[in-house]
């Protein structure tokens, strides 16, 4: 069964970009686009039990009215979600996607994604300001830790990438990432810059030469550099100096990149990036 690109739509200001990146990726990969909206059951429970709130001065009629209000609120939220999905579907069709699929679920985002993981080739999530009420973006770390498919974390503006950068460290994860990029149509025709952050020595040059040769054999223009310094700063500076549109990196590795990503730093990387980040597993 052919796997899908799944784009998570939540109605915030990044949803438009998520829809556009999903449409772009589904067409590059020639797979179906699934637009997913998850109504959080913790915020909008399917049923409300007010029995635990009975206290002095409480009245059964009041509790019934509160329950009815919660039910109405949930129905309105579901309808709003359906409208968001229809708007995203029309936008994707305007972008050239044939018959995008819409799904709405009532539950937990991570559980919903795990339920469809086996049919997901690429997951597209939007990044949000952590100061805002938690939405998709604030849950990126738990999603990345739990799912084993590539995850594209977008900014709030869509731009089809004209240059991408792959953070390479010679680990099995990033070597697999190079092979995934080389074998995928997602970035065909797009220059892929290879950056190894570390000391310029024979071992690193050998690893980077392998990565460069692999991409070039697949038809990529693949400039490669070894740069010493702080990983985050090096990647940020290089991205800015070379007008890179998207950062590609392994979600977990076994080197300084792993220490850079594991734990709360994963969220920091995604939050601080000014371009979309494609995390490979």
């Amino acid at each position: 069964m052919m796997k899908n690109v799944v784009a998570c739509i939540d109605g915030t200001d990044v949803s438009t970009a998520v829809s556009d990146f999903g449409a772009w990726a589904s067409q590059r990969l020639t797979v179906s686009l699934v637009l997913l909206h998850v109504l959080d059951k913790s915020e909008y429970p399917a049923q409300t039990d007010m029995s635990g709130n009975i206290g002095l001065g409480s009245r059964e009629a009041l509790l019934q009215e509160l329950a009815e209000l919660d039910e109405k609120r949930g129905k309105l939220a579901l309808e709003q979600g359906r409208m968001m999905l229809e708007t995203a579907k029309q936008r994707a069709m305007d972008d050239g996607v044939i018959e995008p699929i819409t799904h709405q679920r009532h539950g937990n985002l991570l559980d919903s994604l795990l339920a469809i993981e086996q049919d997901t080739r690429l997951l597209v999530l939007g990044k949000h300001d952590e100061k805002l009420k938690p939405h998709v973006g604030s849950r990126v770390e738990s999603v990345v830790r739990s799912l084993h498919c590539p995850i594209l974390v977008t900014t709030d503006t869509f731009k089809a990438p004209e240059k991408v950068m792959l953070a390479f460290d010679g680990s099995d994860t990033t070597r697999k990432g190079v092979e995934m990029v080389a074998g995928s149509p997602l970035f065909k025709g797009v220059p892929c810059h290879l950056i190894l952050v570390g000391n310029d020595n024979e071992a690193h040059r050998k690893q980077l030469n392998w990565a460069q040769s692999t991409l070039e054999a697949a038809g990529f223009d693949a400039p490669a550099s070894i740069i010493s310094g702080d990983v985050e700063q090096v990647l940020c500076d290089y991205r800015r100096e070379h007008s890179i549109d998207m950062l590609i990196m392994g979600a977990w590795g076994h080197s300084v990149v792993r220490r850079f990503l594991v734990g709360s730093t994963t969220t920091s990387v995604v939050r601080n990036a000014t371009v979309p980040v494609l995390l490979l597993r």
Side-chain angles (χ1 to χ4, degrees), residues 7-216:
C8 293
I9 307 297
D10 64 2
T12 57
D13 57 358
V14 299
S15 289
T16 298
V18 168
S19 175
D20 289 347
F21 274 109
W24 166 79
S26 71
Q27 291 180 92
R28 298 282 295 190
L29 296 170
T30 61
V31 298
S32 296
L33 171 63
V34 175
L35 299 164
L36 174 68
H37 172 250
V38 178
L39 192 65
D40 195 326
K41 65 182 179 182
S42 65
E43 187 174 355
Y44 298 97
Q47 293 182 332
T48 304
D49 182 6
M50 293 286 185
S51 61
N53 294 334
I54 297 177
L56 294 174
S58 295
R59 294 293 185 268
E60 184 177 347
L62 175 59
L63 294 176
Q64 180 62 31
E65 185 175 353
L66 289 171
E68 291 173 355
L69 286 172
D70 267 0
E71 182 179 0
K72 183 177 181 180
R73 179 169 166 263
K75 288 181 178 179
L76 288 172
L78 283 169
E79 181 59 27
Q80 181 188 36
R82 282 192 287 268
M83 293 174 64
M84 289 189 301
L85 286 174
E86 285 304 312
T87 300
K89 179 179 180 179
Q90 185 58 55
R91 186 178 183 89
M93 291 173 67
D94 292 342
D95 288 339
V97 178
I98 299 174
E99 297 184 0
I101 302 163
T102 60
H103 282 325
Q104 187 176 48
R105 289 174 176 262
H106 186 261
N108 174 270
L109 173 65
L110 180 56
D111 290 343
S112 298
L113 294 175
L114 287 170
I116 61 173
E117 181 183 10
Q118 63 179 356
D119 297 323
T120 302
R121 181 165 178 180
L122 173 67
L123 174 65
V124 185
L125 298 174
K127 181 176 71 170
H128 300 273
D129 189 331
E130 291 296 317
K131 295 178 182 178
L132 299 178
K133 188 175 182 178
H135 285 288
V136 170
S138 62
R139 302 170 190 172
V140 166
E141 187 172 355
S142 63
V143 170
V144 172
R145 283 183 175 277
S146 302
L147 269 66
H148 296 85
C149 60
I151 300 172
L152 175 60
V153 184
T154 78
T155 51
D156 60 2
T157 304
F158 171 75
K159 180 181 184 296
E162 299 176 0
K163 294 180 186 177
V164 299
M165 175 175 68
L166 194 156
F168 181 76
D169 65 2
S171 66
D172 289 343
T173 301
T174 55
R175 289 175 74 91
K176 180 181 177 182
V178 168
E179 292 170 341
M180 288 175 67
V181 171
S184 170
L186 189 61
F187 298 113
K188 288 296 183 185
V190 178
C192 181
H193 293 236
L194 288 161
I195 306 300
L196 191 155
V197 182
N199 296 324
D200 188 349
N201 55 44
E202 184 177 352
H204 283 163
R205 285 195 297 273
K206 182 178 180 180
Q207 292 169 342
L208 195 59
N209 287 340
W210 171 86
Q212 186 177 38
S213 298
T214 300
L215 288 176
E216 289 179 343

